[in-house]
Each structure stands twice: as C-alpha cells, then as structure tokens.
Amino acid sequence: MPEPSTLQFDGALTDVSIQYNNPEYIAEMVLPPAPKPKREGTYKIYDKDERFTVPTDYVGHKGEPREVEWNVSEGTYACVDYGLQEFVSNDEIDNADAPLQPLADATKFVTDLLMLAQEKRTADFVFNASNYASGNKNDEAGSWATLSTDVLTRLEVGIDACFKPPTILVMGIETWRKVARNEKILAAVKGTLAPQQLKTGSIGQPAVNQQELAEYLGLNAVLIGRARINTAKKGQTASYSRVWDGTNAGKGGAALLRVEPNIGLNDVVSAANFTWKTRQTLTMDDTRGARGGKTVRVVHTQVLKSISTDVGYLFQDCLVT
C-alpha cells in the first residue's frame, strides 16, 4: 500500500459522487444535511416553557415594559467519519475507451454503498423509540394491515400530539401500500366521505398518492422508503429486508417529524443531520497487481442528533403485532 501522503482530493470524481443519485434513497430528504463549520461544536436548545408563557404586559403611565428573556442551553455534537473505497487496476484504466470511466464507475459504486449505509443509519435513528417523548409514540399492534382500520384518525392523533406541527410523514413501502388503500383515508382524501369500492379490469384497486395525503394532512411531504439491504454476513446466503421496515423487521412503522432544510438558531425540529463535510472523493496510487492502480475512496462526516423529542410521533409495529 502507498504512503498516506499520496492521498489526493479528486475534484472531478467528487463531482461524480455528489451528482450520483439513487431514487430509492430518502435519507437526506428525511433529515437534510445541516452544515457545520467544525467537526465538533454546540447547538442551541431553547426553553419552550418561557417562550409560551405570557407575562404581564401592561405598562403604567410612568412605568417601563416588563423585561423578559428566553433562556438558552447548549447541546453538543461530534461528527463521525464514514467512508468506503475500491481498488481499480491500471489494466482496467488503460483498456477503457475513456480513461476516466473505470474510476467514475468505482466512485458511483462506492457512493451507492455509502448512501445505502446512511439510509440504514437514518432509518434506524428515525424508528428508535428513545428519540420520542413518552406521549409521542404508540404500538399500533398490526392494526394498519386491516384496510378498515381508521388510520386517518391515528395519523391525526399523532399530528396533534406534536408540540409544533410536523412537516413530513415517513414510512416504508410495505406500510405505505396499506395506508394508500386504507378505507378511511380514501374516503376523506378522495372526497367521497365513504369507503371507495374496489374496481375491476385494468384500473385495479384505488389508492391515494403521496402528494394527496400530504396536502390533506397539511404536511410538506409523505416520504416512502423502498431500499433493500442484505442482512447476511459476507459469505453467507443473502437475506434481503426493507431498510424502512420499522424498528422490528417486517412489522412496519411510520413516523411524523418536523424537519427544516436549513436549521436556524430559533428553529424547533425533531432531529438534525449535522454535517461537517459532504461527500468527497480521494484517490491514491496503489501498488497491487502486476501494474498497480488507484484506490478510489469516498468519505463524508456527519452525526444524527435528536433535538426536540416532542415535535415528532412514532407509530410502531403497524403491520404485525
């Protein structure tokens, strides 16, 4: 292996990594990156009790307005490095029609795996019950699997439980298939005030779409996770599961969150994706093989932090008790 000093930032391949997109991945829509100037630092935590307690505001003829203050404490964060790399031989590079292509392909491959790892990390964070206040989570005991269950009321209960209105609803595709065809949701969102009847022929069963449900509930978006992950160890028979399957694999789950793409000092959010450095691609000469080659490394630095546990709501075990 070469000396660490030969590791070089590659601007062209970094552009490839940043521009790479897999439509199955929703992690950065669920928790958008919040850029931080330092790897470690502090963030503000505001006392909401003082913010919502109305003081006496009467001012006498010779008096002065009552002085108020908003107490602030600080939380700490420490971003963590994440990265993967792949070796590309000089033989592959020399025999390619375009010299950059093997390196670009390696960058895309490594980036995809890095993003899949981030997808899993984000889903685990979102479905972690400890990130929600005690009154802001509920075991649905598999009830959402029955289309006649009043899931709409359950979602409204969750929204009302949040101290400030949530902005997104996130769930996996298996849970969404039930929610989109739920009788109560269909009746309300489609405007019939009665359950929709199943249709025949090529039209199939009716369903709401993500935008329709988001608009009805007053949310910015309903996000659906479709990514799969191989849970088997290397060398064992592959075993695939859905990344956004809920806390307990196969049981389904959903979460209401309040998130902001650009978190300000006074914003109240459920959680934050503090990011010190976005994805970068680095290359270094490598002596492996007959003629050597290059190692392509993609890295980024971030940490997920729970901020306000009472502005989100977790629905657990939606499909199976």
Side-chain angles (χ1 to χ4, degrees), residues 222-245:
V222 173
L223 302 175
I224 309 303
R226 293 174 168 81
R228 295 179 186 270
I229 191 170
N230 177 17
T231 58
K233 294 182 179 180
K234 188 173 182 179
Q236 296 181 343
T237 302
S239 177
Y240 295 96
S241 64
R242 298 280 186 182
V243 173
W244 294 90
D245 221 6

Side-chain angles (χ1 to χ4, degrees), residues 57-237:
D57 58 355
Y58 171 78
V59 181
H61 292 298
K62 295 184 178 181
E64 293 184 355
R66 183 186 184 93
E67 184 174 304
V68 295
E69 62 179 355
W70 192 358
N71 288 335
V72 178
S73 58
E74 289 187 341
T76 61
Y77 72 89
C79 294
V80 179
D81 292 327
Y82 297 97
L84 295 168
Q85 62 187 31
E86 183 184 17
F87 170 73
V88 181
S89 71
N90 281 329
D91 287 346
E92 292 178 79
I93 296 172
D94 294 341
N95 284 284
D97 293 333
L100 184 63
Q101 197 62 45
L103 297 178
D105 288 345
T107 301
K108 293 176 183 177
F109 170 70
V110 174
T111 298
D112 187 81
L113 284 176
L114 195 63
M115 291 175 66
L116 181 57
Q118 181 180 357
E119 193 83 357
K120 181 66 165 62
R121 189 163 54 249
T122 304
D124 289 347
F125 180 90
V126 167
F127 291 130
N128 185 342
S130 65
N131 291 328
Y132 299 83
S134 59
N136 288 56
K137 51 195 168 188
N138 189 66
D139 185 344
E140 300 300 311
S143 62
W144 292 22
T146 303
L147 298 184
S148 60
T149 297
D150 192 352
V151 173
L152 180 60
T153 295
R154 295 297 311 128
L155 291 172
E156 290 172 340
V157 166
I159 291 172
D160 291 342
C162 295
F163 185 76
K164 296 197 73 174
T167 56
I168 64 170
L169 170 64
V170 58
M171 67 188 77
I173 184 62
E174 302 293 348
T175 303
W176 171 245
R177 288 194 180 111
K178 297 297 184 180
V179 170
R181 296 185 290 115
N182 181 268
E183 291 180 3
K184 299 298 189 294
I185 289 177
L186 276 169
V189 176
K190 293 296 187 181
T192 65
L193 299 181
Q196 300 286 307
Q197 299 298 314
L198 297 185
K199 299 178 181 179
T200 58
S202 60
I203 297 178
Q205 191 167 346
V208 301
N209 62 45
Q210 293 164 239
Q211 182 177 349
E212 289 173 334
L213 184 58
E215 290 177 352
Y216 184 86
L217 294 174
L219 303 172
N220 293 344
V222 173
L223 302 175
I224 309 303
R226 293 174 168 81
R228 295 179 186 270
I229 191 170
N230 177 17
T231 58
K233 294 182 179 180
K234 188 173 182 179
Q236 296 181 343
T237 302

